[in-house]
Structure formats: structure tokens, C-alpha cells
Amino acid sequence: MNKQHVYIVSENEAWSEVVVACLSMVFHRTMIESCSSAEKLWGLGENDIVIFDKATLGNPSSLLISPIERGGSWVIVNGEAVDEESVAGLISLGFSGLIVEPFTLEMLPRALRTIASGQMWFSREAMSQALKHLVKAGGLSCHSVNVLGAKFSLSSREQQVFLHLLQGKSNKDIAVQLHLSPSTVKCHVSSILLKTGKHSRNQLSTLLLEEDVDQPIDLIA
């Protein structure tokens, strides 16, 4: 197995040194290195992660950076609140996460573990906006749910519950809509999370946005 690498891309050398020091204390067996540009970051392994400092490098899309083409998982850090309005676009380009200032250093270790486990790291509000954008664009449909249902072997009842979950409904509301008991709905929700590999109902919407890629290996501490 190839050793996992974390690349910190920033023009702020002092900031990069702090990040390298902090992450090295947490992830002892992961190669962590810094560079001033993403120019040479091509052909990355599926377990590699790139930390892109938007504060010093600017918008990655303006630099024609596409994680889908370059490989690895990319997380934008030191972003602005307004960046969260473009999460749907970031996901379509292949980015796996966004951390806005001033929370980068606080959230980065947890974000790396989450991204390395095959999940995305975006705020709940940002994902909610991305899902609304998808709904307006016609991406949320019974067909979409049926496709995901077949992919994750969801039963017909689980698919019904899944559709309501994507619409943001509570267990109580779903129980009323489907004429089920709240405890039965809770069991269906637990089964859906288990089959899809998600840890919370708020992460289910990412299934409509994620590319069909293999999950990378957990970040090694």
C-alpha cells in the first residue's frame, strides 16, 4: 500500500509551517508536506489529500484546477462565507470540502479524517443550499431515488423513507405521511444509513452530488 500524503498548498510559508506542525502531532504515519503552488500536483493517489489555501492562492476554479483530473481529495481552506453559496459547483468540480475562516486550524484534523473516509466536509447550511440548487435543477426525482435504491439495495419502503429524508422531513412527519409508527421509521432510517455508509441523515443528500468513486483508506493517525 502506498504511503498516504497530505499536501498543504499555500503562499503563506509561516502558516504552512504551523499546519504541518499541528497535523504531524495528530497523524504520525502520514507524509505531510507543503508547497507554494499546485502546479506539480497531478496524478495523485486516491488516498492523497490536498489542502488548498484560498486566502493566498485565490479561487481554484480560476486557476483551472480540477480535482477530478488531478486525482486525490481536495479541501479548500481559509475560504469566505460567500464560498458556501457555491458548494454545488465545487462538488461538481470534484472538491471534497470547504472550511471558512477563522475555523481552519480548529476543524482541519477532523475534516481530514472525514474526507479520508470517503465523506465530504461542508457545513450543513452549505449542503442544504446545494440540495435546493439540485432540486431546482431537476436533480431530485423519483428516478434518482430509484437509481440510488438499486445501488444500495434499499427496499421499496426504505426508498419511500429515503425520498422524504431528502426533502428534509422529520421522522414524525414521515410516519404520518407513510402511515407508519415513529419507531418503524427510525428503524428504516438506521437501515438506510447503514446501507449507504452515511453517519447521519444530513449526509444523505451528498449521495445525489457525489461522483461514483471508490472510498479512500482512512487517514492514518
Side-chain angles (χ1 to χ4, degrees), residues 140-172:
L140 178 59
S141 64
C142 289
H143 173 71
S144 301
V145 174
N146 289 337
V147 170
L148 289 171
K151 178 178 179 180
F152 295 106
S153 301
L154 301 182
S155 68
S156 58
R157 180 64 84 182
E158 287 172 346
Q159 289 187 40
Q160 292 175 330
V161 173
F162 183 44
L163 180 58
H164 286 294
L165 288 173
L166 293 176
Q167 295 170 344
K169 295 181 180 178
S170 66
N171 286 3
K172 183 179 179 180

PDB file of all heavy atoms in Angstrom, residues 140-172:
ATOM      1  N   LEU A 140     -33.446  16.124  -8.181  1.00  0.00           N
ATOM      2  CA  LEU A 140     -34.094  15.266  -7.194  1.00  0.00           C
ATOM      3  C   LEU A 140     -35.411  14.762  -7.765  1.00  0.00           C
ATOM      4  O   LEU A 140     -36.328  15.529  -7.990  1.00  0.00           O
ATOM      5  CB  LEU A 140     -34.343  16.036  -5.899  1.00  0.00           C
ATOM      6  CG  LEU A 140     -35.072  15.268  -4.796  1.00  0.00           C
ATOM      7  CD1 LEU A 140     -34.294  14.022  -4.424  1.00  0.00           C
ATOM      8  CD2 LEU A 140     -35.280  16.141  -3.584  1.00  0.00           C
ATOM      9  N   SER A 141     -35.494  13.500  -8.029  1.00  0.00           N
ATOM     10  CA  SER A 141     -36.695  12.922  -8.624  1.00  0.00           C
ATOM     11  C   SER A 141     -36.848  11.498  -8.126  1.00  0.00           C
ATOM     12  O   SER A 141     -35.936  10.918  -7.523  1.00  0.00           O
ATOM     13  CB  SER A 141     -36.596  12.921 -10.150  1.00  0.00           C
ATOM     14  OG  SER A 141     -35.536  12.085 -10.576  1.00  0.00           O
ATOM     15  N   CYS A 142     -38.006  10.921  -8.405  1.00  0.00           N
ATOM     16  CA  CYS A 142     -38.215   9.524  -8.041  1.00  0.00           C
ATOM     17  C   CYS A 142     -37.224   8.637  -8.782  1.00  0.00           C
ATOM     18  O   CYS A 142     -36.781   7.616  -8.271  1.00  0.00           O
ATOM     19  CB  CYS A 142     -39.648   9.115  -8.361  1.00  0.00           C
ATOM     20  SG  CYS A 142     -40.869   9.860  -7.252  1.00  0.00           S
ATOM     21  N   HIS A 143     -36.874   9.061 -10.014  1.00  0.00           N
ATOM     22  CA  HIS A 143     -35.893   8.283 -10.775  1.00  0.00           C
ATOM     23  C   HIS A 143     -34.554   8.248 -10.047  1.00  0.00           C
ATOM     24  O   HIS A 143     -33.916   7.196  -9.939  1.00  0.00           O
ATOM     25  CB  HIS A 143     -35.716   8.887 -12.168  1.00  0.00           C
ATOM     26  CG  HIS A 143     -34.610   8.258 -12.957  1.00  0.00           C
ATOM     27  ND1 HIS A 143     -34.688   6.965 -13.467  1.00  0.00           N
ATOM     28  CD2 HIS A 143     -33.372   8.721 -13.299  1.00  0.00           C
ATOM     29  CE1 HIS A 143     -33.567   6.668 -14.098  1.00  0.00           C
ATOM     30  NE2 HIS A 143     -32.747   7.710 -14.009  1.00  0.00           N
ATOM     31  N   SER A 144     -34.117   9.407  -9.534  1.00  0.00           N
ATOM     32  CA  SER A 144     -32.853   9.476  -8.799  1.00  0.00           C
ATOM     33  C   SER A 144     -32.889   8.557  -7.592  1.00  0.00           C
ATOM     34  O   SER A 144     -31.916   7.850  -7.301  1.00  0.00           O
ATOM     35  CB  SER A 144     -32.579  10.916  -8.352  1.00  0.00           C
ATOM     36  OG  SER A 144     -32.521  11.794  -9.452  1.00  0.00           O
ATOM     37  N   VAL A 145     -33.989   8.588  -6.876  1.00  0.00           N
ATOM     38  CA  VAL A 145     -34.129   7.742  -5.690  1.00  0.00           C
ATOM     39  C   VAL A 145     -34.147   6.266  -6.071  1.00  0.00           C
ATOM     40  O   VAL A 145     -33.550   5.431  -5.386  1.00  0.00           O
ATOM     41  CB  VAL A 145     -35.410   8.119  -4.917  1.00  0.00           C
ATOM     42  CG1 VAL A 145     -35.639   7.152  -3.764  1.00  0.00           C
ATOM     43  CG2 VAL A 145     -35.304   9.541  -4.386  1.00  0.00           C
ATOM     44  N   ASN A 146     -34.807   5.949  -7.181  1.00  0.00           N
ATOM     45  CA  ASN A 146     -34.850   4.557  -7.625  1.00  0.00           C
ATOM     46  C   ASN A 146     -33.455   4.047  -7.993  1.00  0.00           C
ATOM     47  O   ASN A 146     -33.096   2.903  -7.697  1.00  0.00           O
ATOM     48  CB  ASN A 146     -35.777   4.415  -8.836  1.00  0.00           C
ATOM     49  CG  ASN A 146     -37.234   4.589  -8.461  1.00  0.00           C
ATOM     50  OD1 ASN A 146     -37.606   4.399  -7.313  1.00  0.00           O
ATOM     51  ND2 ASN A 146     -38.062   4.961  -9.424  1.00  0.00           N
ATOM     52  N   VAL A 147     -32.672   4.900  -8.657  1.00  0.00           N
ATOM     53  CA  VAL A 147     -31.309   4.525  -9.032  1.00  0.00           C
ATOM     54  C   VAL A 147     -30.467   4.268  -7.791  1.00  0.00           C
ATOM     55  O   VAL A 147     -29.754   3.269  -7.689  1.00  0.00           O
ATOM     56  CB  VAL A 147     -30.662   5.619  -9.903  1.00  0.00           C
ATOM     57  CG1 VAL A 147     -29.171   5.341 -10.094  1.00  0.00           C
ATOM     58  CG2 VAL A 147     -31.349   5.697 -11.254  1.00  0.00           C
ATOM     59  N   LEU A 148     -30.559   5.204  -6.823  1.00  0.00           N
ATOM     60  CA  LEU A 148     -29.796   5.030  -5.579  1.00  0.00           C
ATOM     61  C   LEU A 148     -30.320   3.838  -4.786  1.00  0.00           C
ATOM     62  O   LEU A 148     -29.551   3.134  -4.139  1.00  0.00           O
ATOM     63  CB  LEU A 148     -29.887   6.304  -4.742  1.00  0.00           C
ATOM     64  CG  LEU A 148     -29.121   7.515  -5.289  1.00  0.00           C
ATOM     65  CD1 LEU A 148     -29.459   8.764  -4.500  1.00  0.00           C
ATOM     66  CD2 LEU A 148     -27.622   7.260  -5.250  1.00  0.00           C
ATOM     67  N   GLY A 149     -31.625   3.628  -4.843  1.00  0.00           N
ATOM     68  CA  GLY A 149     -32.209   2.493  -4.141  1.00  0.00           C
ATOM     69  C   GLY A 149     -31.666   1.172  -4.647  1.00  0.00           C
ATOM     70  O   GLY A 149     -31.358   0.262  -3.871  1.00  0.00           O
ATOM     71  N   ALA A 150     -31.534   1.071  -5.971  1.00  0.00           N
ATOM     72  CA  ALA A 150     -30.985  -0.144  -6.563  1.00  0.00           C
ATOM     73  C   ALA A 150     -29.504  -0.289  -6.227  1.00  0.00           C
ATOM     74  O   ALA A 150     -29.021  -1.390  -5.929  1.00  0.00           O
ATOM     75  CB  ALA A 150     -31.174  -0.112  -8.078  1.00  0.00           C
ATOM     76  N   LYS A 151     -28.787   0.831  -6.235  1.00  0.00           N
ATOM     77  CA  LYS A 151     -27.349   0.797  -5.962  1.00  0.00           C
ATOM     78  C   LYS A 151     -27.060   0.308  -4.552  1.00  0.00           C
ATOM     79  O   LYS A 151     -26.117  -0.456  -4.328  1.00  0.00           O
ATOM     80  CB  LYS A 151     -26.757   2.196  -6.158  1.00  0.00           C
ATOM     81  CG  LYS A 151     -25.268   2.289  -5.852  1.00  0.00           C
ATOM     82  CD  LYS A 151     -24.746   3.688  -6.103  1.00  0.00           C
ATOM     83  CE  LYS A 151     -23.259   3.786  -5.768  1.00  0.00           C
ATOM     84  NZ  LYS A 151     -22.720   5.155  -6.003  1.00  0.00           N
ATOM     85  N   PHE A 152     -27.882   0.759  -3.581  1.00  0.00           N
ATOM     86  CA  PHE A 152     -27.626   0.425  -2.184  1.00  0.00           C
ATOM     87  C   PHE A 152     -28.572  -0.652  -1.642  1.00  0.00           C
ATOM     88  O   PHE A 152     -28.644  -0.863  -0.442  1.00  0.00           O
ATOM     89  CB  PHE A 152     -27.723   1.681  -1.321  1.00  0.00           C
ATOM     90  CG  PHE A 152     -26.660   2.701  -1.622  1.00  0.00           C
ATOM     91  CD1 PHE A 152     -26.957   3.858  -2.320  1.00  0.00           C
ATOM     92  CD2 PHE A 152     -25.348   2.481  -1.223  1.00  0.00           C
ATOM     93  CE1 PHE A 152     -25.979   4.791  -2.611  1.00  0.00           C
ATOM     94  CE2 PHE A 152     -24.358   3.408  -1.502  1.00  0.00           C
ATOM     95  CZ  PHE A 152     -24.671   4.561  -2.209  1.00  0.00           C
ATOM     96  N   SER A 153     -29.299  -1.301  -2.542  1.00  0.00           N
ATOM     97  CA  SER A 153     -30.204  -2.402  -2.174  1.00  0.00           C
ATOM     98  C   SER A 153     -31.238  -1.979  -1.133  1.00  0.00           C
ATOM     99  O   SER A 153     -31.491  -2.695  -0.150  1.00  0.00           O
ATOM    100  CB  SER A 153     -29.386  -3.603  -1.643  1.00  0.00           C
ATOM    101  OG  SER A 153     -28.472  -4.060  -2.621  1.00  0.00           O
ATOM    102  N   LEU A 154     -31.833  -0.818  -1.339  1.00  0.00           N
ATOM    103  CA  LEU A 154     -32.885  -0.344  -0.440  1.00  0.00           C
ATOM    104  C   LEU A 154     -34.204  -1.018  -0.808  1.00  0.00           C
ATOM    105  O   LEU A 154     -34.519  -1.179  -1.991  1.00  0.00           O
ATOM    106  CB  LEU A 154     -33.051   1.174  -0.544  1.00  0.00           C
ATOM    107  CG  LEU A 154     -31.833   2.044  -0.224  1.00  0.00           C
ATOM    108  CD1 LEU A 154     -32.209   3.522  -0.340  1.00  0.00           C
ATOM    109  CD2 LEU A 154     -31.284   1.747   1.157  1.00  0.00           C
ATOM    110  N   SER A 155     -34.968  -1.386   0.197  1.00  0.00           N
ATOM    111  CA  SER A 155     -36.283  -1.955  -0.060  1.00  0.00           C
ATOM    112  C   SER A 155     -37.214  -0.849  -0.563  1.00  0.00           C
ATOM    113  O   SER A 155     -36.889   0.338  -0.485  1.00  0.00           O
ATOM    114  CB  SER A 155     -36.855  -2.572   1.217  1.00  0.00           C
ATOM    115  OG  SER A 155     -37.149  -1.545   2.160  1.00  0.00           O
ATOM    116  N   SER A 156     -38.373  -1.225  -1.077  1.00  0.00           N
ATOM    117  CA  SER A 156     -39.311  -0.230  -1.597  1.00  0.00           C
ATOM    118  C   SER A 156     -39.742   0.733  -0.497  1.00  0.00           C
ATOM    119  O   SER A 156     -39.874   1.942  -0.722  1.00  0.00           O
ATOM    120  CB  SER A 156     -40.529  -0.918  -2.207  1.00  0.00           C
ATOM    121  OG  SER A 156     -41.168  -1.750  -1.247  1.00  0.00           O
ATOM    122  N   ARG A 157     -39.951   0.215   0.711  1.00  0.00           N
ATOM    123  CA  ARG A 157     -40.342   1.080   1.825  1.00  0.00           C
ATOM    124  C   ARG A 157     -39.187   1.996   2.218  1.00  0.00           C
ATOM    125  O   ARG A 157     -39.397   3.179   2.513  1.00  0.00           O
ATOM    126  CB  ARG A 157     -40.776   0.235   3.021  1.00  0.00           C
ATOM    127  CG  ARG A 157     -41.197   1.064   4.228  1.00  0.00           C
ATOM    128  CD  ARG A 157     -42.439   1.908   3.910  1.00  0.00           C
ATOM    129  NE  ARG A 157     -43.660   1.158   4.081  1.00  0.00           N
ATOM    130  CZ  ARG A 157     -44.873   1.651   3.835  1.00  0.00           C
ATOM    131  NH1 ARG A 157     -44.996   2.890   3.362  1.00  0.00           N
ATOM    132  NH2 ARG A 157     -45.951   0.914   4.024  1.00  0.00           N
ATOM    133  N   GLU A 158     -37.961   1.471   2.210  1.00  0.00           N
ATOM    134  CA  GLU A 158     -36.796   2.296   2.524  1.00  0.00           C
ATOM    135  C   GLU A 158     -36.620   3.407   1.492  1.00  0.00           C
ATOM    136  O   GLU A 158     -36.233   4.526   1.837  1.00  0.00           O
ATOM    137  CB  GLU A 158     -35.541   1.423   2.596  1.00  0.00           C
ATOM    138  CG  GLU A 158     -35.483   0.558   3.851  1.00  0.00           C
ATOM    139  CD  GLU A 158     -34.352  -0.443   3.818  1.00  0.00           C
ATOM    140  OE1 GLU A 158     -33.778  -0.667   2.728  1.00  0.00           O
ATOM    141  OE2 GLU A 158     -34.050  -1.028   4.881  1.00  0.00           O
ATOM    142  N   GLN A 159     -36.924   3.112   0.234  1.00  0.00           N
ATOM    143  CA  GLN A 159     -36.837   4.147  -0.791  1.00  0.00           C
ATOM    144  C   GLN A 159     -37.853   5.257  -0.548  1.00  0.00           C
ATOM    145  O   GLN A 159     -37.568   6.432  -0.763  1.00  0.00           O
ATOM    146  CB  GLN A 159     -37.053   3.534  -2.179  1.00  0.00           C
ATOM    147  CG  GLN A 159     -35.902   2.672  -2.657  1.00  0.00           C
ATOM    148  CD  GLN A 159     -36.083   2.225  -4.104  1.00  0.00           C
ATOM    149  OE1 GLN A 159     -36.535   2.985  -4.943  1.00  0.00           O
ATOM    150  NE2 GLN A 159     -35.723   0.978  -4.381  1.00  0.00           N
ATOM    151  N   GLN A 160     -39.040   4.884  -0.083  1.00  0.00           N
ATOM    152  CA  GLN A 160     -40.049   5.895   0.244  1.00  0.00           C
ATOM    153  C   GLN A 160     -39.572   6.782   1.386  1.00  0.00           C
ATOM    154  O   GLN A 160     -39.697   8.009   1.336  1.00  0.00           O
ATOM    155  CB  GLN A 160     -41.371   5.210   0.614  1.00  0.00           C
ATOM    156  CG  GLN A 160     -42.047   4.498  -0.540  1.00  0.00           C
ATOM    157  CD  GLN A 160     -43.287   3.745  -0.090  1.00  0.00           C
ATOM    158  OE1 GLN A 160     -43.379   3.273   1.046  1.00  0.00           O
ATOM    159  NE2 GLN A 160     -44.265   3.620  -0.987  1.00  0.00           N
ATOM    160  N   VAL A 161     -39.021   6.161   2.412  1.00  0.00           N
ATOM    161  CA  VAL A 161     -38.492   6.920   3.554  1.00  0.00           C
ATOM    162  C   VAL A 161     -37.323   7.791   3.102  1.00  0.00           C
ATOM    163  O   VAL A 161     -37.202   8.962   3.497  1.00  0.00           O
ATOM    164  CB  VAL A 161     -38.047   5.962   4.679  1.00  0.00           C
ATOM    165  CG1 VAL A 161     -37.345   6.736   5.805  1.00  0.00           C
ATOM    166  CG2 VAL A 161     -39.240   5.193   5.241  1.00  0.00           C
ATOM    167  N   PHE A 162     -36.464   7.227   2.256  1.00  0.00           N
ATOM    168  CA  PHE A 162     -35.298   7.945   1.738  1.00  0.00           C
ATOM    169  C   PHE A 162     -35.706   9.222   1.019  1.00  0.00           C
ATOM    170  O   PHE A 162     -35.115  10.292   1.215  1.00  0.00           O
ATOM    171  CB  PHE A 162     -34.534   7.003   0.799  1.00  0.00           C
ATOM    172  CG  PHE A 162     -33.260   7.580   0.247  1.00  0.00           C
ATOM    173  CD1 PHE A 162     -32.377   8.279   1.055  1.00  0.00           C
ATOM    174  CD2 PHE A 162     -32.926   7.399  -1.087  1.00  0.00           C
ATOM    175  CE1 PHE A 162     -31.193   8.787   0.545  1.00  0.00           C
ATOM    176  CE2 PHE A 162     -31.743   7.909  -1.606  1.00  0.00           C
ATOM    177  CZ  PHE A 162     -30.882   8.607  -0.787  1.00  0.00           C
ATOM    178  N   LEU A 163     -36.725   9.146   0.180  1.00  0.00           N
ATOM    179  CA  LEU A 163     -37.199  10.317  -0.556  1.00  0.00           C
ATOM    180  C   LEU A 163     -37.656  11.410   0.399  1.00  0.00           C
ATOM    181  O   LEU A 163     -37.332  12.592   0.214  1.00  0.00           O
ATOM    182  CB  LEU A 163     -38.342   9.929  -1.495  1.00  0.00           C
ATOM    183  CG  LEU A 163     -38.955  11.064  -2.333  1.00  0.00           C
ATOM    184  CD1 LEU A 163     -37.902  11.742  -3.191  1.00  0.00           C
ATOM    185  CD2 LEU A 163     -40.095  10.529  -3.194  1.00  0.00           C
ATOM    186  N   HIS A 164     -38.371  11.028   1.443  1.00  0.00           N
ATOM    187  CA  HIS A 164     -38.837  12.012   2.428  1.00  0.00           C
ATOM    188  C   HIS A 164     -37.666  12.604   3.213  1.00  0.00           C
ATOM    189  O   HIS A 164     -37.673  13.798   3.543  1.00  0.00           O
ATOM    190  CB  HIS A 164     -39.841  11.366   3.382  1.00  0.00           C
ATOM    191  CG  HIS A 164     -41.182  11.115   2.772  1.00  0.00           C
ATOM    192  ND1 HIS A 164     -42.021  12.136   2.361  1.00  0.00           N
ATOM    193  CD2 HIS A 164     -41.834   9.957   2.491  1.00  0.00           C
ATOM    194  CE1 HIS A 164     -43.136  11.622   1.873  1.00  0.00           C
ATOM    195  NE2 HIS A 164     -43.049  10.301   1.927  1.00  0.00           N
ATOM    196  N   LEU A 165     -36.658  11.789   3.501  1.00  0.00           N
ATOM    197  CA  LEU A 165     -35.477  12.298   4.201  1.00  0.00           C
ATOM    198  C   LEU A 165     -34.765  13.354   3.360  1.00  0.00           C
ATOM    199  O   LEU A 165     -34.311  14.383   3.876  1.00  0.00           O
ATOM    200  CB  LEU A 165     -34.505  11.152   4.506  1.00  0.00           C
ATOM    201  CG  LEU A 165     -34.920  10.159   5.599  1.00  0.00           C
ATOM    202  CD1 LEU A 165     -33.940   8.998   5.649  1.00  0.00           C
ATOM    203  CD2 LEU A 165     -34.998  10.845   6.958  1.00  0.00           C
ATOM    204  N   LEU A 166     -34.667  13.113   2.060  1.00  0.00           N
ATOM    205  CA  LEU A 166     -34.024  14.072   1.167  1.00  0.00           C
ATOM    206  C   LEU A 166     -34.791  15.391   1.096  1.00  0.00           C
ATOM    207  O   LEU A 166     -34.218  16.440   0.794  1.00  0.00           O
ATOM    208  CB  LEU A 166     -33.890  13.479  -0.238  1.00  0.00           C
ATOM    209  CG  LEU A 166     -32.926  12.291  -0.391  1.00  0.00           C
ATOM    210  CD1 LEU A 166     -32.973  11.759  -1.811  1.00  0.00           C
ATOM    211  CD2 LEU A 166     -31.515  12.697  -0.018  1.00  0.00           C
ATOM    212  N   GLN A 167     -36.053  15.318   1.390  1.00  0.00           N
ATOM    213  CA  GLN A 167     -36.889  16.518   1.397  1.00  0.00           C
ATOM    214  C   GLN A 167     -36.843  17.231   2.746  1.00  0.00           C
ATOM    215  O   GLN A 167     -37.534  18.231   2.942  1.00  0.00           O
ATOM    216  CB  GLN A 167     -38.336  16.153   1.039  1.00  0.00           C
ATOM    217  CG  GLN A 167     -38.479  15.636  -0.393  1.00  0.00           C
ATOM    218  CD  GLN A 167     -39.840  15.061  -0.684  1.00  0.00           C
ATOM    219  OE1 GLN A 167     -40.619  14.756   0.232  1.00  0.00           O
ATOM    220  NE2 GLN A 167     -40.157  14.889  -1.961  1.00  0.00           N
ATOM    221  N   GLY A 168     -36.032  16.694   3.665  1.00  0.00           N
ATOM    222  CA  GLY A 168     -35.826  17.350   4.951  1.00  0.00           C
ATOM    223  C   GLY A 168     -36.903  17.094   5.988  1.00  0.00           C
ATOM    224  O   GLY A 168     -36.999  17.823   6.980  1.00  0.00           O
ATOM    225  N   LYS A 169     -37.697  16.058   5.815  1.00  0.00           N
ATOM    226  CA  LYS A 169     -38.792  15.784   6.745  1.00  0.00           C
ATOM    227  C   LYS A 169     -38.293  15.031   7.974  1.00  0.00           C
ATOM    228  O   LYS A 169     -37.352  14.247   7.904  1.00  0.00           O
ATOM    229  CB  LYS A 169     -39.891  14.982   6.047  1.00  0.00           C
ATOM    230  CG  LYS A 169     -40.585  15.762   4.923  1.00  0.00           C
ATOM    231  CD  LYS A 169     -41.686  14.951   4.278  1.00  0.00           C
ATOM    232  CE  LYS A 169     -42.363  15.749   3.170  1.00  0.00           C
ATOM    233  NZ  LYS A 169     -43.418  14.955   2.489  1.00  0.00           N
ATOM    234  N   SER A 170     -38.943  15.276   9.084  1.00  0.00           N
ATOM    235  CA  SER A 170     -38.592  14.608  10.333  1.00  0.00           C
ATOM    236  C   SER A 170     -39.192  13.204  10.358  1.00  0.00           C
ATOM    237  O   SER A 170     -40.068  12.867   9.556  1.00  0.00           O
ATOM    238  CB  SER A 170     -39.124  15.401  11.529  1.00  0.00           C
ATOM    239  OG  SER A 170     -40.550  15.386  11.522  1.00  0.00           O
ATOM    240  N   ASN A 171     -38.727  12.377  11.297  1.00  0.00           N
ATOM    241  CA  ASN A 171     -39.285  11.025  11.439  1.00  0.00           C
ATOM    242  C   ASN A 171     -40.783  11.070  11.712  1.00  0.00           C
ATOM    243  O   ASN A 171     -41.549  10.245  11.206  1.00  0.00           O
ATOM    244  CB  ASN A 171     -38.581  10.285  12.576  1.00  0.00           C
ATOM    245  CG  ASN A 171     -37.180   9.843  12.191  1.00  0.00           C
ATOM    246  OD1 ASN A 171     -36.708  10.128  11.101  1.00  0.00           O
ATOM    247  ND2 ASN A 171     -36.523   9.130  13.104  1.00  0.00           N
ATOM    248  N   LYS A 172     -41.198  12.039  12.522  1.00  0.00           N
ATOM    249  CA  LYS A 172     -42.619  12.165  12.852  1.00  0.00           C
ATOM    250  C   LYS A 172     -43.444  12.466  11.608  1.00  0.00           C
ATOM    251  O   LYS A 172     -44.510  11.870  11.384  1.00  0.00           O
ATOM    252  CB  LYS A 172     -42.810  13.260  13.893  1.00  0.00           C
ATOM    253  CG  LYS A 172     -44.254  13.435  14.357  1.00  0.00           C
ATOM    254  CD  LYS A 172     -44.358  14.515  15.416  1.00  0.00           C
ATOM    255  CE  LYS A 172     -45.800  14.701  15.873  1.00  0.00           C
ATOM    256  NZ  LYS A 172     -45.920  15.762  16.924  1.00  0.00           N
TER     257      LYS A 172
END
